[in-house]
Amino acid sequence: MIDFLEGTKEWLIGFFGLSALLQLLQTNDYSQFMSWNGISALIGPLIPFLLVFEIIRMAFYRRFKVVDYRISFFSLVFNSFIGRIISIGMVSICIGLFGKYAIFKTEITWYWLIYGYVIWEFGHFIYHFLAHKVRLFWCLHSTHHAPETMNLSVNFAHFFLEAPYADLIRTTTCILLGVSPSLLFLIMFIDAVWGSFIHIGENISKDGRFGFLNKIILTPSHHRVHHAKNALYMDTNFCNLLPIWDHIFKTYQEEDKTIKIEYGITREMKKHSFLDAYFGEIILLAKDVWHAPGIKNKFLYIFMPPGWSHTKDHKTAKIVRTEYLKTYKTEMATP
C-alpha cells in the first residue's frame, strides 16, 4: 500500500511538473526564482493545473464528459514510456550531427531570440505543413486531430513517433541556420508552454481571441480553426505563436464566428476510440497501399496528400477547401 501511494505521489509530481519547483523550495533560497531555472520551474506546472481547473469547471457546470478526454489520456499514458525518450534523443542527435555545419552561431540576447524564434517557427511550419500534406506523416499527426472537442488534454494526444519526426525537422532547421543549442532550448520551452496553452477550449475562454493580440500572435481562436474539419478551415494556421509563415505561404485563416467549428478528422471514426484515433490512419494507408495497382500508385499513396486516389477521385483538403471558397467568397461579397 505504501509503495502504491509513493508511486502515485511520484506520478502526480511528474504530471504537474513539480519536481524542479520542489527542489528549489527545499533550498530555502527564494532568490533563485529570479533566475531562468526558477522562472521555468514556476511556469512548468501552469498547463497541468489549467487542465485540472478546466475539468473542475466543466464538472461544476455539468458539461464534463469522460469520453472527451479518453483519446488524450490513453495517448499520454502510452507515450510517456517511449515518445519522450525518443524525442530527446532525436534533438541530441541533430545537434551533434549538424552543429558543425551551422552558418554562424547565435547567443542568448533579445535580438537573437527574435531571430531564433522566427527560424523555429519556420521549422515548425515545415514539419506541420508536411504532417498535413504527406499521408505517411498524417498517420503520425492525425491522432492529435482526432478528438471531437477542444480542451487542454488535446495537447497530450499524439502518436509516439510524431515528436521525433517534428524535432528532426525543427532542430535541424534551427541548428543549420545558426540557432545555438542554449537558445534553442529556451525557444523550445516557450513554444511548449504556448503550444499547450493555445489548446484551451471554450470552457476556459469562450472567444479565445485575446483582444488586440489576435492580430499579432496566434491565439486559441486561431488554433481552434486549425483543429476544425470545416471546409473553410482545412489545412490552415500551421504556426504556433508567430503567424509570419502562415501569412507568407497564405495558410493564415481567421475564425468566422458565424460558422460553428466542428472538431475532429473528416473520415468516419469509431466514436471516442483510442485505438482508431491512434492506429486508424496507419491501417487505412496500409490497406490502400496493398490494394493499389502497380508500384507507382503504392508509392504515391504513401507520399501524396490524404484524400489522393489512384482513381483520380481526389478528396484532398486543398480540393475540398478550394471548392468551398468559391461559394464562401460569393456569400461574403453579397450585401
Side-chain angles (χ1 to χ4, degrees):
M1 183 65 179
I2 295 176
D3 290 340
F4 172 77
L5 292 174
E6 189 64 29
T8 302
K9 173 186 172 184
E10 292 300 320
W11 185 89
L12 288 171
I13 290 174
F15 174 78
F16 284 101
L18 294 170
S19 298
L21 180 60
L22 292 175
Q23 289 176 4
L24 284 177
L25 289 174
Q26 288 173 357
T27 65
N28 291 322
D29 181 8
Y30 301 115
S31 64
Q32 292 188 64
F33 287 110
M34 299 302 293
S35 68
W36 166 244
N37 288 337
I39 293 172
S40 61
L42 286 170
I43 295 177
L46 174 63
I47 300 302
F49 275 106
L50 269 178
L51 173 58
V52 172
F53 170 75
E54 179 183 56
I55 293 173
I56 293 173
R57 192 171 188 273
M58 290 174 66
F60 180 79
Y61 288 104
R62 299 182 180 180
R63 293 197 294 263
F64 177 73
K65 297 178 182 177
V66 173
V67 292
D68 290 340
Y69 292 81
R70 181 181 296 169
I71 293 172
S72 302
F73 173 76
F74 282 112
S75 297
L76 172 64
V77 172
F78 191 83
N79 294 348
S80 63
F81 295 102
I82 46 180
R84 186 177 301 175
I85 296 174
I86 299 175
S87 179
I88 293 172
M90 182 59 73
V91 171
S92 301
I93 290 171
C94 291
I95 292 173
L97 283 177
F98 302 110
K100 56 188 174 183
Y101 301 111
I103 57 176
F104 52 79
K105 293 290 176 66
T106 59
E107 299 176 351
I108 299 182
T109 61
W110 67 267
Y111 48 87
W112 282 127
L113 176 60
I114 295 173
Y115 168 79
Y117 215 102
V118 171
I119 297 303
W120 168 267
E121 283 285 17
F122 181 55
H124 183 85
F125 182 92
I126 295 172
Y127 131 71
H128 208 171
F129 183 84
L130 292 177
H132 282 252
K133 297 299 186 180
V134 176
R135 191 169 175 190
L136 176 63
F137 298 148
W138 173 246
C139 289
L140 307 182
H141 187 57
S142 61
T143 302
H144 186 55
H145 282 264
E148 296 180 342
T149 57
M150 178 57 76
N151 56 67
L152 275 171
S153 75
V154 174
N155 182 58
F156 301 109
H158 288 281
F159 192 78
F160 79 99
L161 289 177
E162 183 181 13
Y165 149 67
D167 287 327
L168 170 63
I169 295 177
R170 295 184 299 199
T171 303
T172 302
T173 302
C174 288
I175 293 298
L176 289 176
L177 294 179
V179 181
S180 65
S182 56
L183 181 57
L184 174 63
F185 292 139
L186 171 59
I187 291 169
M188 290 175 74
F189 176 78
I190 297 171
D191 182 79
V193 173
W194 187 255
S196 299
F197 181 73
I198 57 177
H199 288 90
I200 62 171
E202 290 82 354
N203 287 293
I204 289 184
S205 175
K206 187 157 186 68
D207 181 67
R209 295 173 187 255
F210 298 159
F212 72 93
L213 289 178
N214 201 64
K215 299 296 182 182
I216 304 172
I217 62 176
L218 284 165
T219 62
S221 173
H222 290 115
H223 205 63
R224 291 169 192 174
V225 165
H226 175 74
H227 274 263
K229 62 182 178 180
N230 307 68
L232 174 63
Y233 298 146
M234 286 181 173
D235 289 0
T236 57
N237 298 348
F238 291 111
C239 293
N240 230 25
L241 173 60
L242 304 177
I244 178 172
W245 300 109
D246 280 312
H247 283 295
I248 289 173
F249 293 109
K250 303 188 185 305
T251 54
Y252 179 81
Q253 177 63 53
E254 289 275 1
E255 181 181 356
D256 185 337
K257 287 296 185 179
T258 65
I259 299 176
K260 179 178 173 57
I261 289 181
E262 297 177 33
Y263 297 110
I265 57 180
T266 54
R267 73 171 173 87
E268 197 69 33
M269 284 186 59
K270 295 177 183 177
K271 206 71 172 174
H272 306 300
S273 169
F274 164 70
L275 292 177
D276 191 19
Y278 210 82
F279 299 107
E281 290 296 319
I282 297 173
I283 294 171
L284 290 175
L285 173 58
K287 287 181 178 179
D288 282 341
V289 171
W290 178 262
H291 293 294
I295 295 297
K296 179 182 177 181
N297 285 319
K298 294 181 187 298
F299 183 84
L300 290 174
Y301 267 114
I302 295 173
F303 294 103
M304 291 299 283
W308 181 89
S309 173
H310 73 277
T311 64
K312 310 300 181 185
D313 182 27
H314 307 308
K315 296 180 181 177
T316 63
K318 181 178 180 180
I319 292 173
V320 173
R321 187 169 189 265
T322 300
E323 287 297 316
Y324 176 82
L325 284 175
K326 293 177 182 177
T327 304
Y328 179 76
K329 289 178 179 177
T330 302
E331 291 176 350
M332 294 293 288
T334 304

